[in-house]
Structure formats: C-alpha cells, structure tokens
C-alpha cells in the first residue's frame, strides 16, 4: 500500500514518514524527554493576555513547543472581552480566523448554552458532553484548523472539564503499537464526513487523512472525531484496528492525557490538540452560566513548526 505524501523536498526527511525510522527515533526521544506529566505543568500565569511581556510570551511558547498546548492564567476572569483571544492569538502569528455559520460576527465564538442554536443539532452550544475530536475535522483540505484557543470568562456551576491530548503523542502511541496504523491514518481516504444533511449547511462530503504533514512547516496535523454518526471510516481491517487503538489510548488514564477545568480568566492556546469536554450544569438562578470564547485559526502557533525545532 502506498501513502499519499509526496516525497519531494524537505518532507522526504520528515520523522513522521515511516520511511525514516532513524529520524523518527531521534524526534521521538527528544519529544518525550521532559514531557509534562500533569495539566498543572502547562499553566503559566500572565498579567494581561492581550499584551504579554517578553518573558511571559517566552514561557508560553516554550511549553507549546513541547506539548502543542499551553494554559494561560490571568486574574481577570470577569473581563468579557473578545480582544483577549484575538490579541493573544496575534502575538503568536494567529491571524487567519475560521468563521462558521454560527460564529458571532467577528468569528470568535461565544460558547454558552443557547437554546435556539442547540436545537439545531450543534452540541457545542449545549451542556452535554463532547466526545474526543479535533476542531474543524470536517473542514476541507484548504481550510484545516491548525490552531485554536478557548478563553474562559465564567466556568459552569459544575462540570465542563476538558481532557487534552497532544496529537504528536497520539502518533507516538499508535506508531509504537503498530506502524501500519500510521500508514492507514495517512491515507487520503481514511475518514469521510458525509455531506451535511442535518444543519442545512449544504456541505459536500469531505474525505481526508487523520494524520498529514503540513508541507509549509513539516508539522504533523490531525483530524479526528470519536462521533460515530456522520463519519465513515475506510472499511478495511487495518483502519478499523487503528481507530480502535486510538479509542483505547483516548479512554486510558495515561498521565500524558491531561485533564483540566478552565477557571475564570484562564485559557487554552493550542495547535488544535485532541480534546473532549464533560457535561456541565449552569446555575441560572444564581447567575452562574458558563461562557467561553473560542477562536479557530488556519495558522499554526508561530515558533512551533517541526521544521524550526
Ligand atoms: Fe472542540
């Protein structure tokens, strides 16, 4: 079976290709060396995420280069200002925002329970749990979501915890278990999102790989959803086995699967890592209603490119 990655140019040397076991072994060793074992190790306190000091920026970037994600913590949880995610992103080269049909006008989405939107079948606007996924897994090849941020203005009264897994760690676990899983997940027809019939969005069917290598940066990109509706996996044994292996990893209690509940003023900045969310409960009578801002970008966090490390 042939994969669909061109071997031309610098990509030919990518550690993510099965043809380069030596480069992979070196990359893997350096990746795992000093890798954080708990979500608290990802947290960096900053005074104002809209205007980081050089030292704060450096700390955030150092963690992102290791784990593809960082949690910043400000003490201004009450500040409902979309300039926080916008200006934070800009400081990391994140300028090309994805917009979707339900995003607010400025393409930074307010995630909160909204009856009208949730009635249309969009789970992110309800309080139900969200299964493991990467954002925009249904986007076309030209509009892949390489980075995203979540900023918590107000946590829920109860619940709403995220689990987070670096796609490069998922890649390592899968490749360690069976390199053929990587070959299956790099196939251009590994997963297909059928044409969208439920939201009236008229989106065409989208097929693509789970893992791909971004030609511009050499970085690993991942598309995934644990949903079983509205997703068709390639119908062969190795793809099925790879999907099951990934499900086992995501359901595990491995320390590299981080769990964190964003508190007021905290946010996640990441290269679109795998994530889920537990269900949550608002306490409307007491004014405790969860509000998070989400920004999705076509850019990757500047300074985290595989080619640059
Ligand atoms: Fe998400």
């Amino acid at each position: 079976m042939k994969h669909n990655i061109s071997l031309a140019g610098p990509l030919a040397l990518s550690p993510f290709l099965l043809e380069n076991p030596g480069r992979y072994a070196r990359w893997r060793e350096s990746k795992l060396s000093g890798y954080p074992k708990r979500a608290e190790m990802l947290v960096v306190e900053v005074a104002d995420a809209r205007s980081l000091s050089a030292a704060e920026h450096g700390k955030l970037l150092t963690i992102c280069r290791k784990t593809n994600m960082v949690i910043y913590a400000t003490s201004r949880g009450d500040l409902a200002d979309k300039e926080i995610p916008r200006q934070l992103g800009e400081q990391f080269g994140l300028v090309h925002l994805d917009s979707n049909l339900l995003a607010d006008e400025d393409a930074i989405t307010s995630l909160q329970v909204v009856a009208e939107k949730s009635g249309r079948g969009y789970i992110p606007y309800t309080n139900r749990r969200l299964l493991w996924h990467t954002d925009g897994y249904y986007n076309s090849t030209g509009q892949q979501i390489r980075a995203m941020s979540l900023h918590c203005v107000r946590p829920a009264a109860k619940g709403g915890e995220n689990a987070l897994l670096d796609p490069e760690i998922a890649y390592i676990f899968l490749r360690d278990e069976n390199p053929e899983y990587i070959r299956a997940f790099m196939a251009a027809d590994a997963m297909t999102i059928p044409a969208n019939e439920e939201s009236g969005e008229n989106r065409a069917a989208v097929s693509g790989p789970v893992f791909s290598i971004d030609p511009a940066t050499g970085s690993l990109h991942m598309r995934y959803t644990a949903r079983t509706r509205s997703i068709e996996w390639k119908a062969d044994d190795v793809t099925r086995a790879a999907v099951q292996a990934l499900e086992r990893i995501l359901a595990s209690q491995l320390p590299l699967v981080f769990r964190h509940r964003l508190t007021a003023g905290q946010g996640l900045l990441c290269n679109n890592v795998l994530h889920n969310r537990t269900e949550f409960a608002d306490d409307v009578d007491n004014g405790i209603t969860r509000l998070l801002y989400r920004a999705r970008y076509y850019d990757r966090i500047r300074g985290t490119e595989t080619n640059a490390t």
Side-chain angles (χ1 to χ4, degrees):
M1 194 191 303
K2 270 185 80 96
H3 56 74
N4 297 281
I5 302 285
S6 162
L7 286 176
L11 278 196
L13 302 176
S14 171
F16 303 120
L17 291 177
L18 295 178
E19 288 79 0
N20 300 323
R23 286 182 180 274
Y24 171 66
R26 285 192 294 279
W27 171 84
R28 180 187 181 284
E29 189 183 349
S30 122
K31 174 79 186 179
L32 294 176
S33 161
Y35 199 90
K37 297 275 195 301
R38 297 189 318 277
E40 305 87 79
M41 297 168 78
L42 305 177
V43 180
V44 175
E45 294 201 5
V46 303
D48 185 347
R50 295 168 297 189
S51 173
L52 299 169
S53 71
E56 290 168 344
H57 186 278
K59 280 187 198 167
L60 291 172
L61 185 58
T62 299
I63 294 176
C64 280
R65 283 168 63 104
K66 175 54 77 177
T67 61
N68 282 309
M69 65 186 119
V70 69
I71 295 163
Y72 62 89
T74 71
S75 55
R76 295 298 312 276
D78 55 329
L79 201 58
D81 182 2
K82 287 190 175 180
E83 288 305 310
I84 299 171
R86 182 190 308 283
Q87 293 179 18
L88 175 79
E90 285 173 1
Q91 294 167 82
F92 291 90
L94 304 177
V95 292
H96 296 99
L97 276 160
D98 182 51
S99 60
N100 66 53
L101 278 186
L102 295 179
D104 304 357
E105 277 174 31
D106 55 8
I108 293 176
T109 305
S110 297
L111 297 178
Q112 55 191 330
V113 176
V114 179
E116 186 192 337
K117 288 178 178 173
S118 58
R120 291 170 60 185
Y122 279 84
I123 294 172
Y125 303 96
T126 79
N127 60 354
R128 283 147 57 193
R129 71 172 181 151
L130 287 176
L131 298 174
W132 282 100
H133 65 281
T134 58
D135 274 14
Y137 59 84
Y138 40 75
N139 280 22
S140 62
T141 311
Q143 295 188 313
Q144 290 298 299
I145 303 302
R146 298 191 178 84
M148 67 101 164
S149 70
L150 290 172
H151 178 81
C152 178
V153 179
R154 292 186 303 269
K158 215 175 121 191
E161 178 188 82
N162 291 112
L164 307 160
L165 179 62
D166 181 347
E168 293 178 353
I169 296 296
Y171 177 100
I172 288 172
F173 287 155
L174 288 166
R175 187 162 171 173
D176 284 356
E177 191 171 328
N178 185 348
E180 290 306 312
Y181 294 163
I182 302 300
R183 198 184 307 281
F185 272 170
M186 283 190 159
D189 56 353
M191 65 187 277
T192 298
I193 317 299
N196 189 347
E197 69 292 342
E198 73 184 38
S199 72
E201 210 175 315
N202 291 327
R203 189 179 55 228
V206 177
S207 284
V210 174
F211 288 124
S212 58
I213 305 170
D214 184 347
T217 62
S219 304
L220 188 72
H221 185 258
M222 186 172 192
R223 300 163 63 239
Y224 176 72
T225 177
R227 292 186 74 179
T228 50
R229 268 178 66 210
S230 306
I231 168 92
E232 288 169 8
W233 291 100
K234 187 174 177 180
D236 66 14
D237 289 346
V238 66
T239 305
R240 258 189 294 271
V243 170
Q244 286 168 3
L246 181 54
E247 286 170 355
R248 281 196 303 275
I249 292 163
L250 293 172
S252 74
Q253 296 297 315
L254 290 166
L256 305 194
V257 181
F258 302 125
R259 286 181 174 76
H260 186 81
R261 184 172 182 268
L262 291 171
T263 60
Q266 288 191 344
L268 168 73
L269 174 69
C270 71
N271 284 322
N272 199 3
V273 297
L274 289 155
H275 57 286
N276 71 8
R277 185 195 74 200
T278 62
E279 67 176 341
F280 66 87
D282 284 341
D283 181 353
V284 179
D285 291 343
N286 289 305
I288 306 173
T289 54
R290 189 179 195 261
L291 172 60
L292 266 71
Y293 295 143
R294 181 191 60 208
R296 291 170 166 168
Y297 300 94
Y298 302 136
D299 317 288
R300 185 178 171 85
I301 296 169
R302 187 173 55 214
T304 66
E305 303 86 355
T306 297
N307 284 346
T309 58

